[in-house]
Structure formats: structure tokens, C-alpha cells
């Protein structure tokens, strides 16, 4: 994403990490329970919209795809990188902390709708006509090297269920 300030800042951070002898860890849409709801992200936003409004109002048409990693898996992955730092560093200057599976944003909305439906919460999904103009649905190909040391334990559905379980008690 060198065409955006966000992408350029990430690139600068990676360069500094390499200069300092560290390993760059590339995160792929980490999601989980968020306490600061002023800055929540797509899965949490959709869950909260469904619980509060019975409607998921999307910012795009939802066709763009992302690789989603549950926060607990992210933490476990970072711990494995720390434990195996010397072994990994011999082979890699950067690793992708990823599931390697892409899911469209509309599919996320549909998964949330299905899970909430089992709780007798019927919601509507309202996609926008707008396209993704931030990431332009660009997808890096993840390097699956880290799978030698770590694999995610949570499926996307299990992670979404954990988020719904947390926020459901506040509805």
C-alpha cells in the first residue's frame, strides 16, 4: 500500500525494525473484543450493529476480501515468534502472522447474521453500492513460513462467536 500514508508508515517501521536486527511481524486484520468502541473494526462493528440495531449497514458492497486473525491466536503467534526468535531470524527478516484464508466482508456479515439468528435476533444486511477505496482489495500473498512453529486455533466462526458472547451480555 505504498500509495497511502498508512502503507508508507508501515514500510518505514519495517525498515527500522530490520536496521535494529528485529523480525518484522506482519499482522493480518486482527480482530477480537474491543473496549474502545470509538475505534472498533469491521467484525466488532457488524456485531454491535446487529445487536443494537438489528441491521448491519455496510460502508462498501462487501466484495473485498481480508484475512482475519483472532486476537488470542495473534498473541499465541507472537509468543511462538519470541520463543523461536533465533531459529526464525536465521531464515527470515519478516513473518506473516496469518491464517492464509481470505473471506469477503459480505461473508462476515452473513456469518454474524446466521449466528445471531440462532439467538432469535433477526437482522438485515444493507450493503452499500460503494467499492473499497482504501485498500482497493489488494492482497498480499502471505508467506506461510511461521506455520512451522504456530497455527491459529480459532476458526473465523469461533472468533465471531466469542465476540458475540462478550457483547451479548450488554445488549
Amino acid at each position: 500500500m505504498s500509495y497511502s500514508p498508512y502503507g508508507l508508515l508501515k514500510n518505514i517501521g519495517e525498515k527500522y525494525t530490520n536496521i535494529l536486527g528485529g523480525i518484522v511481524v506482519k499482522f493480518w486484520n486482527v480482530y477480537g473484543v474491543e473496549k474502545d468502541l470509538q475505534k472498533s473494526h469491521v467484525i466488532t462493528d457488524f456485531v454491535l450493529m446487529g445487536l443494537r440495531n438489528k441491521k448491519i449497514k455496510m460502508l462498501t458492497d462487501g466484495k473485498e476480501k481480508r484475512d482475519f486473525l483472532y486476537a488470542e491466536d495473534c498473541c499465541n503467534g507472537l509468543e511462538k515468534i519470541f520463543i523461536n526468535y533465533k531459529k526464525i531470524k536465521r531464515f527470515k527478516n519478516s513473518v506473516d502472522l496469518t491464517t492464509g484464508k481470505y473471506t469477503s466482508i459480505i461473508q462476515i456479515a452473513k456469518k454474524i447474521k446466521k449466528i445471531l439468528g440462532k439467538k432469535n435476533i433477526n437482522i438485515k444486511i444493507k450493503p452499500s453500492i460503494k467499492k473499497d477505496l482504501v485498500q482497493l482489495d489488494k492482497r498480499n500473498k502471505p508467506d506461510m513460513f511461521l506455520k512451522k512453529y504456530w497455527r491459529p486455533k480459532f476458526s473465523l466462526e469461533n472468533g465471531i462467536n466469542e465476540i458475540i458472547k462478550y457483547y451479548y451480555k450488554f445488549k
Side-chain angles (χ1 to χ4, degrees):
M1 289 180 38
S2 60
Y3 55 85
S4 75
Y6 175 70
L8 290 172
L9 286 172
K10 285 173 67 172
N11 194 8
I12 290 168
E14 290 177 12
K15 298 248 186 273
Y16 273 110
T17 300
N18 284 326
I19 288 168
L20 295 170
I23 296 174
V24 171
V25 180
K26 296 179 182 177
F27 295 100
W28 290 68
N29 297 293
V30 177
Y31 71 98
V33 170
E34 297 184 51
K35 305 290 171 90
D36 181 1
L37 297 179
Q38 299 299 318
K39 300 183 335 179
S40 62
H41 298 87
V42 68
I43 293 177
T44 303
D45 283 345
F46 284 3
V47 167
L48 291 172
M49 283 182 213
L51 289 171
R52 292 177 179 162
N53 308 325
K54 311 273 188 289
K55 178 176 19 176
I56 295 175
K57 188 175 179 189
M58 299 172 59
L59 298 176
T60 68
D61 62 7
K63 292 180 182 172
E64 67 275 17
K65 292 185 175 185
R66 303 282 184 272
D67 183 328
F68 294 94
L69 179 65
Y70 189 61
E72 191 172 317
D73 283 330
C74 181
C75 293
N76 290 333
L78 288 170
E79 183 178 29
K80 290 293 185 188
I81 292 167
F82 176 76
I83 291 167
N84 295 288
Y85 178 83
K86 288 181 181 176
K87 287 186 234 173
I88 294 170
K89 187 64 182 162
R90 272 190 283 148
F91 299 103
K92 295 286 185 180
N93 287 331
S94 72
V95 292
D96 292 298
L97 199 49
T98 177
T99 65
K101 299 174 187 167
Y102 284 94
T103 305
S104 71
I105 301 301
I106 191 79
Q107 284 304 117
I108 296 293
K110 288 176 181 177
K111 287 177 188 296
I112 292 168
K113 177 180 175 138
K114 182 178 177 183
I115 294 167
L116 289 178
K118 291 178 183 175
K119 295 182 176 297
N120 293 320
I121 301 172
N122 297 311
I123 65 169
K124 294 194 182 295
I125 299 171
K126 298 264 193 180
S128 172
I129 58 169
K130 295 179 183 173
K131 302 282 182 204
D132 168 33
L133 297 176
V134 177
Q135 293 186 21
L136 306 174
D137 203 23
K138 292 188 188 279
R139 292 183 221 151
N140 294 330
K141 184 171 169 63
D143 177 349
M144 303 308 277
F145 174 82
L146 190 57
K147 299 290 188 201
K148 295 177 183 179
Y149 303 97
W150 163 88
R151 290 190 184 276
K153 294 180 181 161
F154 283 82
S155 69
L156 185 55
E157 290 79 9
N158 290 344
I160 291 171
N161 264 312
E162 290 297 313
I163 294 170
I164 289 172
K165 189 177 0 173
Y166 178 83
Y167 290 114
Y168 186 76
K169 60 188 170 194
F170 300 111
K171 105 179 166 74

